[in-house]
Every structure is written in C-alpha cells, then in structure tokens.
Amino acid sequence: MIAYLNKINAFINYLDPQILTALQHISTIKTFKKGSFLLSMDETCKKSYVLESGIARKYYLNDGKEMTTELFFKDDIAISLHSYVQQSPSREFIQAITDVSVTVTDYQAFQVLKTQYPALMELDLMMTEYYAIWLEDRLFQFHTLTATERYLFLLQKQPHIIQYIPLSYIASYLGISLETLSRIRAKLI
Amino acid sequence: MIAYLNKINAFINYLDPQILTALQHISTIKTFKKGSFLLSMDETCKKSYVLESGIARKYYLNDGKEMTTELFFKDDIAISLHSYVQQSPSREFIQAITDVSVTVTDYQAFQVLKTQYPALMELDLMMTEYYAIWLEDRLFQFHTLTATERYLFLLQKQPHIIQYIPLSYIASYLGISLETLSRIRAKLI
DNA sequence: CGACATATTGAGATCCATCAACCAATGTGG
DNA sequence: CCACATTGGTTGATGGATCTCAATATGTCG
C-alpha cells in the first residue's frame, strides 16, 4: 500500500517538466475557512482539491445524521469520486475542518490534458487504483473487525487523526456511535 | 452507475478494430471446473478473467472462515485488484462456483498494449473508476443498512444471485452469519 | 461569565453471533 | 439399491456488542 504510494510519487517526479507546467496552468491555489464547504450535496464535483495545509472531511447525510467517509490531510486529493467521474450531482459534502489551503484543478481542463499527455492518463489510473485498494481495505475492516479493533487500527495507522478531529467525526468514520467510541476510549486507558 | 457501464460499453464499441485485434492476440479462452481456483491466496494475480459463462466468487479467509467479497457473472472481470495492480501476493481466492468459461488476458501483455494504445489506458481507468464507485456503494451499505436491508437491497438489485448461489456465500457477502440470513428469509415469506 | 459545542456515563432495548440440534436433498461405495 | 456421509439449510436458546435516549460534565470562545 505504502509501496504503491511511493511508486506514484516516483512517477510524478519523473514526469516531463512540460507536463508539470501544463498542469500548473490549469491549477490555482485557494483557501477555505474552517467549516466552509469545498463541495455540497447535489452539486457536481467539477474540481479536484489537493490539500496543501489544513484538514478536511467528506460526509453524507443519513436520516439527518452526518456520516464521515474520508478524512483529508496534506497531499491528499479531496473529491467525491462518483460525482467527479460521472459529472453528476454529489451525495456527499466536502468540508474544511480547519482553515484549509488547496490546489484546485478543473475537471474539464484535466480531461483535455489527459488526452494530450498519456502519462497523465496513467497517473490518473494509478491514483484511482490506489483509492480502490484503500476502499477494499476499509471494507475488509468493516467485514472482520469489531468497533474496538477498528479504533485501535486507526490509532496505530493514523495516530494524528485523533488529535485534531472531533470524536463525533471519528465515530461515524468508524461506523459506530459517539457514545460507543467514548466507552471504547475509556476502557483503553 | 448503470449509465457509467453504458458509457464504458459504448467506448469499447468505438475502439479502433486494430486495438481489438491486438487485444485478442494477448487473450485466450479457458475453462474451469466447478470448485476449482482461478486464483489462490499467496499467488500473484497475473491474469485478468472476463467471464463468458458460469459464476465465480472472490473470498478471503478470516479465522478460517470464508468471507465472500465479490460475485462474478457473465461479462464481469474477475481479478484480485490489490494483487493485480501491485503484482504482489493475493490475500484472496477466486473460485469457480459453477463450471466457468473465461477470456484470460495476461497482465504484462496488457501493460505493454496500454502504453501502445492510450485508448486502452483510458478504458482501464474507466473500469477502475467503476469498481471504485461500486466499492463506495458497498461501503455505504455496510455503514447505513441493517442486515435485513442489505439483503433486500441485494434481492432488488441482483435477484439472479439468490437463485444460483449457496446461502452461506451470500451471508458472508452481506457480512452476516448464515443463521441470521436464514432467519431474515423466513421472516420475509 | 454565559452559551454552545463536545464528550462522558448510565440504563434499557435491539440486533446479531454463536453454539447446538435437527432436517432435507444429494451422492457414493459396497 | 440401500446405508451412510456430505452438503446446504433451518430453528431454538443464550449472550454479547452496540444503539438509543437521557442526564451530566467538560471545554471553549465571544
């Protein structure tokens, strides 16, 4: 998993400088205040956001309850995949948890660039593969681990998450209630 | 979701015949007997299998128990993604549930062809996106639906599954025990 | 300080897993 | 062709994990 990330980074480093310049031409830097939305439900995800600083999350509403599906840190790519890929209305929100700075890249412009530079198509494929593997792993966790095990797993793999993010977000990310998470933590001390 | 499948099919239909011929050159037809394995754990997934007839499933072992993660029917692509993409040992098995006929395509040969024909790179991307969206949807179901709801959802979306596949496979596919599934079905009648 | 968001704790209800017994259909060797 | 094993499915009893509702505590920020 990490190995594959390294492969992607290596691929980016070996990209033709001309391609990188072209990418920069269709990208801008933008900031979002804590609590504001990079993407709202029913909106089409027409931009990708690479986090430069700050933290964001992706969530949807279920019976009025917010279910967090993904947490974004530096260098993560924040999009709502189903909306981005199909250019259809999103079921998800993407929200800044702290003040956030991002590199914004336009979907349409990127599509054009991909047909121009096959290396970008390949890069897009690698990143999508990585996301799919990450999803498989998450599904595996829901399939086989108890709530406590999922929490410990998160603690071990991404200890930084716990420090900066409200427990209510973490609870729904783990697929458990806030109360259960609180009890799990109490027991572990 | 279906719309995107249509888009992929349209894309395939408009592929340069030369590309299709090249694809056929690196593919062969093969059959597997019921119960036999297209891929075993610890083996690297070096082929992709497009089902022509029959049914297959993907599963892994957890505490000695088989957890079914995916069911394959006609035209589905059976691979273990993490193993295929990273060319590393698989955690999963792919097994023929009935006698199965498949079109086998070699990973390495396909990689070469992709660099030769960018349209194939694009096709690979679209198929991976589709799989990722499917995974997101499955994760959504585990996140928000009860066992009964997940079963009803499956019944509604893929009624053919129930007819040909042992309940034990379906149970683990839904993330529940065989007994619970049996009770759910009893209540629904 | 007061107000609002965030987290903890308790009690009861619910869902689902586990263990175990049992049943039906199918297949196999003698 | 029968006896028996095997596979797939059902049903019952029980316990544990987790949810929900509700009350309380803690923190944070204007």
Side-chain angles (χ1 to χ4, degrees), chain A residues 1 4 60 67 81 85-86 114 121 124-125 128-129 131-132 135-136 139-140 142-144 172 175, chain B residues 1 4 60 62 67 81 85-86 114 121 124-125 128-129 131-132 135-136 139-140 142-144 172 175:
Chain A
M1 193 89 179
Y4 204 63
Y60 60 84
M67 310 290 284
L81 187 81
V85 160
Q86 304 178 88
K114 277 198 295 185
M121 191 72 81
D124 198 4
L125 173 60
T128 306
E129 286 168 342
Y131 180 59
L135 285 170
E136 282 188 338
L139 214 35
F140 166 80
F142 276 97
H143 233 143
T144 59
S172 71
Chain B
M1 195 87 179
Y4 204 63
Y60 60 85
N62 185 247
M67 310 289 283
L81 186 81
V85 160
Q86 304 179 86
K114 278 198 296 186
M121 191 75 78
D124 199 2
L125 173 60
T128 307
E129 286 169 342
Y131 180 59
L135 285 171
E136 281 188 339
L139 215 33
F140 166 81
F142 276 97
H143 233 146
T144 60
S172 71

Side-chain angles (χ1 to χ4, degrees), chain A:
Chain A
M1 193 89 179
I2 303 281
Y4 204 63
L5 255 194
N6 290 338
K7 187 183 159 188
I8 293 176
N9 281 322
F11 188 88
I12 292 174
N13 287 332
Y14 282 109
L15 273 182
D16 189 331
Q18 187 190 348
I19 298 181
L20 291 175
T21 309
L23 263 183
Q24 279 170 12
H25 271 107
I26 62 167
S27 302
T28 59
I29 298 275
K30 202 171 166 184
T31 60
F32 288 87
K33 284 272 169 223
K34 173 178 177 169
S36 65
F37 292 91
L38 288 69
L39 176 73
S40 288
M41 189 171 76
D42 292 333
E43 198 180 306
T44 295
C45 187
K46 290 180 176 162
K47 313 279 180 185
S48 65
Y49 303 96
V50 176
L51 278 259
E52 300 302 334
S53 69
I55 307 175
R57 67 166 178 144
K58 192 177 74 186
Y59 71 92
Y60 60 84
L61 294 176
N62 183 247
D63 281 346
K65 265 179 229 160
E66 298 179 356
M67 310 290 284
T68 297
T69 53
E70 201 171 351
L71 297 162
F72 303 104
F73 298 88
K74 181 165 168 37
D75 295 332
D76 286 343
I77 302 168
I79 58 170
S80 170
L81 187 81
H82 77 91
S83 172
Y84 184 83
V85 160
Q86 304 178 88
Q87 288 294 291
S88 62
S90 169
R91 267 172 275 115
E92 303 168 301
F93 297 82
I94 300 177
Q95 184 185 32
I97 294 184
T98 64
D99 286 1
V100 148
S101 170
V102 290
T103 299
V104 185
T105 303
D106 183 72
Y107 170 85
Q108 276 303 344
F110 187 58
Q111 294 306 109
V112 171
L113 225 54
K114 277 198 295 185
T115 61
Q116 204 169 334
Y117 300 109
L120 284 183
M121 191 72 81
E122 193 174 351
L123 177 61
D124 198 4
L125 173 60
M126 285 194 288
M127 294 188 301
T128 306
E129 286 168 342
Y130 183 78
Y131 180 59
I133 293 171
W134 180 82
L135 285 170
E136 282 188 338
D137 190 57
R138 228 168 113 66
L139 214 35
F140 166 80
Q141 288 176 47
F142 276 97
H143 233 143
T144 59
L145 305 184
T146 65
T148 303
E149 288 168 339
R150 292 204 295 278
Y151 177 70
L152 288 173
F153 202 79
L154 183 66
L155 257 191
Q156 182 211 322
K157 279 216 169 177
Q158 302 191 259
H160 53 295
I161 284 188
I162 277 66
Q163 292 153 31
Y164 306 112
I165 298 180
L167 288 188
S168 55
Y169 298 173
I170 295 173
S172 71
Y173 182 70
L174 294 172
I176 58 182
S177 70
L178 171 60
E179 294 93 326
T180 298
L181 178 56
S182 185
R183 278 183 256 267
I184 286 171
R185 287 160 57 88
K187 268 197 186 169
L188 290 178
I189 294 167

